């Protein structure tokens, strides 16, 4: 059977080239007040893993007020909850509940991601993955951009009589292709074998994960559920499963008496195989490039911050939307907030 190595999850979670960073956010926020605020005030850096929810860098509204990036891409893949986005290009959006935002920071962008507590009469559950994927040196200074993949359009695959559901955020699964990533992304070239799959398996489910390319890096991340087996090896704690040979097929299965669904993220890709120098929100190839990034940010603020607040949120009644270059787009068949399961 294909060889795997099992590691306990840390914070942030370990990844392999071309990926840089992974965090699984799971917060059970209480009902918000009239201003969509939490009942406690953040301390500026609230990442307590044992708390039911975290404020992160937020003050009264949890989240990440304005901060810069250069030299890589962020992928925010949501399962439930709401995220309000704003950036130095004047773009904005509200997304969640299965939507995916893919942002190419390129030569530099400032953005904020905040989590307004929209529900006043029930808890505000919020779950998503934040994934950083590197850019090759030739694309590190491209123009910043973003795309939104609405949940209604994200491809999904049902297998094993509905016991297995696969969300295809990047790559191709059993002939089902993901929506297109940004044009300068490492993932935009199929030869780079980038795949981001999200598996949900119920009791008694089993699935064969198609092989990737030889030489790619491939890892599974077990984030929810009691236990499952990969190639016959039981995994019963949140774990990263490193696949030694991405060209091998994987066999995943869940015990028939499982009481909870199992959720697994797969990250895969051909390594960029370039030198990586990271300092906080900047990821470049040399120390000199990092120093230049700091100087550029101090001088230009990557275009400046066009918003009145550092932590921008939109009105409670505002539905999911994205606004790029002054053009607002909504997901297909948008439901009103009262009809949505927030």
């Amino acid at each position: 059977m294909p060889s795997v190595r099992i590691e306990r999850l840390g914070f942030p979670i370990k990844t392999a080239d071309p990926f840089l960073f992974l965090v699984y956010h799971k917060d059970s926020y209480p009902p918000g007040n009239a201003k969509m605020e939490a009942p406690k005030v953040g301390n500026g850096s609230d990442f307590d893993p044992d708390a039911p929810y975290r404020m992160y860098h937020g003050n009264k509204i949890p989240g990440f007020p304005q901060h810069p990036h250069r030299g890589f891409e962020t992928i925010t893949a949501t399962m439930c909850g709401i995220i309000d986005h704003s950036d130095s290009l004047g773009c904005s959006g509200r997304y969640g509940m299965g939507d995916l935002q893919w942002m190419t920071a390129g030569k530099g962008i400032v953005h904020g991601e905040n989590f307004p507590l929209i529900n006043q009469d029930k808890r505000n559950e919020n779950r998503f993955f934040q994934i950083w994927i590197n850019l090759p040196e030739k694309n590190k200074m491209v123009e910043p951009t973003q795309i939104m993949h609405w949940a209604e359009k994200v491809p999904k695959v049902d297998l094993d009589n509905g016991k297995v559901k696969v969300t295809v955020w990047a790559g191709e699964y059993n002939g089902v292709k993901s929506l297109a990533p940004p044009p300068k992304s490492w993932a935009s070239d199929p030869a780079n074998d980038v795949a981001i799959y999200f598996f949900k398996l119920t009791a008694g489910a089993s699935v064969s994960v198609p092989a990737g390319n030889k030489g790619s890096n491939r890892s599974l991340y077990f984030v929810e559920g009691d236990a499952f087996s990969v190639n016959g090896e039981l995994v019963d704690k949140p774990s990263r499963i490193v696949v030694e040979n991405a060209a091998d097929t994987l066999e995943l299965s869940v015990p028939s008496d499982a009481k909870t669904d199992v959720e697994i993220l797969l990250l895969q890709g051909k390594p960029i195989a370039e030198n990586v120098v990271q300092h906080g929100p900047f990821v470049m190839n040399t120390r000199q490039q990092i120093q230049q990034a700091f100087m550029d940010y101090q001088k230009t603020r990557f275009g400046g911050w066009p918003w009145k607040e550092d932590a921008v949120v939109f009105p409670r009644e505002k539905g999911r939307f994205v606004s790029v270059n002054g053009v607002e787009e909504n997901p297909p068949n948008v439901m009103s907030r009262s009809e949505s399961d927030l």
Side-chain angles (χ1 to χ4, degrees), residues 16-18 186 191-194 211-219 243-248 267-273:
D17 190 359
W186 185 247
N192 294 331
D193 197 33
V194 173
N213 292 345
K214 186 175 182 179
S216 291
N217 288 321
R218 175 183 256 194
S219 292
V243 182
E244 299 295 345
N245 184 358
D248 289 331
L267 297 182
Q268 172 187 294
K270 174 185 174 181
I272 295 174

Side-chain angles (χ1 to χ4, degrees), residues 21-331:
F21 174 94
L22 170 65
V23 172
Y24 172 49
H25 290 269
K26 182 182 181 181
D27 294 285
S28 181
Y29 292 110
N33 64 15
K35 296 181 178 180
M36 300 179 289
E37 299 169 337
K40 73 175 184 179
V41 176
N43 61 14
S45 186
D46 177 12
F47 290 82
D48 182 358
D50 298 320
Y53 68 90
R54 284 139 291 277
M55 296 296 290
Y56 301 106
H57 295 315
N59 180 21
K60 295 181 180 180
I61 292 178
F64 298 85
Q66 62 151 314
H67 57 280
H69 290 305
R70 171 180 277 187
F72 64 100
E73 297 183 292
T74 64
I75 302 168
T76 308
T78 69
M79 287 82 88
C80 65
I82 285 294
I83 300 173
D84 279 0
H85 166 89
S86 51
D87 65 41
S88 54
L89 301 178
C91 302
S92 58
R94 169 169 285 173
Y95 66 99
M97 298 178 287
D99 301 327
L100 178 142
Q101 185 208 52
W102 197 315
M103 188 182 76
T104 304
K107 69 180 185 181
I109 192 169
V110 181
H111 78 144
E113 303 158 294
N114 301 290
F115 317 141
L117 306 189
I118 289 177
N119 297 320
Q120 292 182 282
D121 56 354
K122 62 180 180 179
R123 300 193 71 84
N124 290 271
E125 307 294 340
N126 200 15
R127 288 203 304 136
F128 66 93
F129 292 105
Q130 173 88 155
I131 304 163
W132 292 9
I133 183 169
N134 203 5
L135 287 167
E137 184 171 21
K138 67 178 183 178
N139 288 339
K140 283 191 174 294
M141 297 295 287
V142 299
E143 292 295 326
T145 188
Q146 65 159 304
I147 56 174
M148 187 69 70
H149 291 166
W150 298 118
E152 292 85 347
K153 294 184 177 181
V154 171
K156 299 175 179 63
V157 180
D158 282 5
L159 300 166
D160 194 10
N161 296 315
K163 294 181 181 178
V164 177
K165 298 185 183 300
V166 187
T167 303
V168 186
W169 282 324
E172 181 176 339
Y173 192 98
N174 283 1
V176 177
K177 295 183 178 180
S178 71
L179 301 175
K184 299 299 183 180
S185 175
W186 185 247
S188 65
D189 184 349
N192 294 331
D193 197 33
V194 173
I196 305 176
Y197 307 143
F198 182 58
F199 296 86
K200 186 171 184 178
L201 299 89
T202 62
S206 63
V207 63
S208 295
V209 183
N213 292 345
K214 186 175 182 179
S216 291
N217 288 321
R218 175 183 256 194
S219 292
L220 303 173
Y221 299 89
F222 173 40
V223 296
E224 292 291 339
D226 295 325
F228 82 107
S229 292
V230 52
N231 297 340
E233 187 167 352
L234 183 67
V235 184
D236 60 2
K237 294 180 176 63
S239 302
R240 176 193 183 200
I241 300 98
V242 181
V243 182
E244 299 295 345
N245 184 358
D248 289 331
T249 300
L250 298 175
E251 302 294 336
L252 311 181
S253 62
V254 177
S256 59
D257 59 352
K259 300 297 190 294
T260 58
D261 293 344
V262 165
E263 294 182 350
I264 301 165
L265 176 72
L266 181 147
L267 297 182
Q268 172 187 294
K270 174 185 174 181
I272 295 174
E274 294 178 351
N275 193 47
V276 175
V277 179
Q278 179 177 351
H279 195 292
F282 305 140
V283 182
M284 303 300 289
N285 297 95
T286 68
R287 178 59 56 187
Q288 291 75 17
Q289 290 169 345
I290 291 291
Q291 293 170 345
Q292 187 64 51
F294 275 99
M295 288 190 292
D296 289 348
Y297 176 60
Q298 290 169 359
K299 182 178 180 180
T300 70
R301 295 292 163 176
F302 295 160
W305 188 248
W307 308 91
K308 292 182 179 180
E309 305 291 337
D310 287 341
V312 178
V313 294
F314 302 103
R316 182 190 310 277
E317 63 275 8
K318 182 77 173 175
R320 291 150 61 215
F321 77 99
V322 63
S323 177
V324 178
N325 298 326
V327 178
E328 184 167 316
E329 173 193 322
N330 298 102

